[in-house]
Amino acid sequence: MGADGVSSPNIKRVPSTKPPFTLGQVKKAIPPHCFERSLLRSFSYVVYDLLISSLLGYIATTSFHLLPSHFAYVAWPIYWILQGCVLTGLWVIAHECGHHAFSDHQWIDDTVGLLLHSALFVPYFSWKYSHRRHHSNIGCLDRDEVFVPKLKSQIPWHYMYLNNPPGRALGLAVKLLLGWPLYLSFNASGRPYDRFACHYDPYSPIYSDRERLHIYISDLGIFATAFVLCRIAITQGLAFVISIYGVPFVIC
Ligand SMILES: [Zn+2]
């Protein structure tokens, strides 16, 4: 449809002129208190989420084995969904840390973000840097970091067989289950780089030289979480780790 509501051959899909306001003006229109970062309030969210998460874990580990088996089949999925949602809350807090929105102190934001994201297998600094550039280039075909739309000429031939409800359901399932690790590991759906780009590689073209040390630290966080989970799996069994952490992690 054209601007006058009539179909026109020259469809303007996106606004092609600059808006009659600047980003600065939009920011000025938001009340200043919205930009205040309260350390106490931010930490209250972390403590609250950690308490709920621990409580859920405590209930699952101490009482589910007492339930008749058919109740356990219901109790575990309920636990997985609730715990997955709470972990997502913690994931988002770490995301805010990456945007320096948690407190006025960069080191506190980075410490909290590193601990929370590492516990959820996110390389904190690695993603913080690429994600920041994603925000400043959203929707840009050339410079956005992720979710870069393909040009019509680049769409693989088999996509036409997936352009139907079952195909889209399959695409969504793959994206939701594997999209995140594939992006972090192989830059899937990311912007093109002149060589292989991986969030775990300190020498990845995604990063500048002064960012590389932080990529090592992010990797250490991932190793630490993997180490702790391995230790728990050795003492408590793999099924324990999968049911307490693994499934909620996938939901998150
Ligand atoms: Zn963000």
Side-chain angles (χ1 to χ4, degrees):
M1 295 283 224
D4 54 358
V6 180
S7 289
S8 83
N10 302 317
I11 301 165
K12 287 199 173 93
R13 290 179 190 275
V14 290
S16 52
T17 52
K18 285 208 164 185
F21 49 81
T22 65
L23 205 58
Q25 283 172 315
V26 173
K27 211 171 168 183
K28 263 189 202 143
I30 300 169
H33 73 266
C34 296
F35 295 98
E36 282 167 20
R37 293 168 285 202
S38 160
L39 192 61
L40 200 66
R41 191 170 174 182
S42 295
F43 262 116
S44 75
Y45 293 134
V46 177
V47 172
Y48 181 80
D49 280 4
L50 286 176
L51 275 176
I52 303 276
S53 174
S54 309
L55 186 69
L56 288 170
Y58 178 76
I59 293 169
T61 48
T62 56
S63 60
F64 282 8
H65 66 280
L66 304 171
L67 294 170
S69 62
H70 49 281
F71 278 119
Y73 283 119
V74 182
W76 276 110
I78 292 173
Y79 165 77
W80 291 331
I81 292 166
L82 293 179
Q83 186 68 286
C85 291
V86 178
L87 293 184
T88 306
L90 287 164
W91 193 100
V92 172
I93 292 174
H95 159 264
E96 300 309 317
C97 290
H99 285 305
H100 194 16
F102 186 83
S103 76
D104 289 334
H105 312 281
Q106 185 72 61
W107 71 271
I108 293 180
D109 289 24
D110 284 342
T111 307
V112 173
L114 179 66
L115 289 172
L116 292 178
H117 261 175
S118 296
L120 294 166
F121 280 104
V122 180
Y124 171 73
F125 289 106
S126 319
W127 187 64
K128 166 184 156 169
Y129 293 138
S130 69
H131 181 67
R132 197 172 49 195
R133 284 204 297 274
H134 159 63
H135 271 291
S136 50
N137 296 296
I138 283 180
C140 178
L141 283 171
D142 300 316
R143 291 194 310 275
D144 198 352
E145 280 289 330
V146 71
F147 306 125
V148 182
K150 282 186 170 59
L151 294 174
K152 205 172 180 181
S153 56
Q154 293 169 343
I155 295 174
W157 62 270
H158 61 269
Y159 269 44
M160 69 183 204
Y161 297 107
L162 297 171
N163 193 14
N164 48 55
R168 282 194 285 274
L170 179 74
L172 273 175
V174 170
K175 195 172 203 170
L176 291 175
L177 281 170
L178 300 172
W180 174 236
L182 287 178
Y183 167 63
L184 290 179
S185 307
F186 306 108
N187 196 36
S189 101
R191 59 164 266 199
Y193 284 99
D194 50 10
R195 62 187 178 85
F196 179 65
C198 166
H199 275 73
Y200 303 102
D201 173 14
Y203 294 93
S204 170
I206 303 171
Y207 307 112
S208 67
D209 282 342
R210 59 179 188 84
E211 290 169 342
R212 301 199 196 285
L213 178 66
H214 283 153
I215 314 309
Y216 281 108
I217 296 171
S218 311
D219 289 349
L220 271 177
I222 303 282
F223 278 122
T225 301
F227 178 76
V228 169
L229 288 176
C230 281
R231 296 298 303 173
I232 298 173
I234 288 166
T235 53
Q236 307 283 325
L238 187 61
F240 177 84
V241 173
I242 291 172
S243 48
I244 288 293
Y245 176 88
V247 185
F249 166 76
V250 172
I251 290 174
C252 169

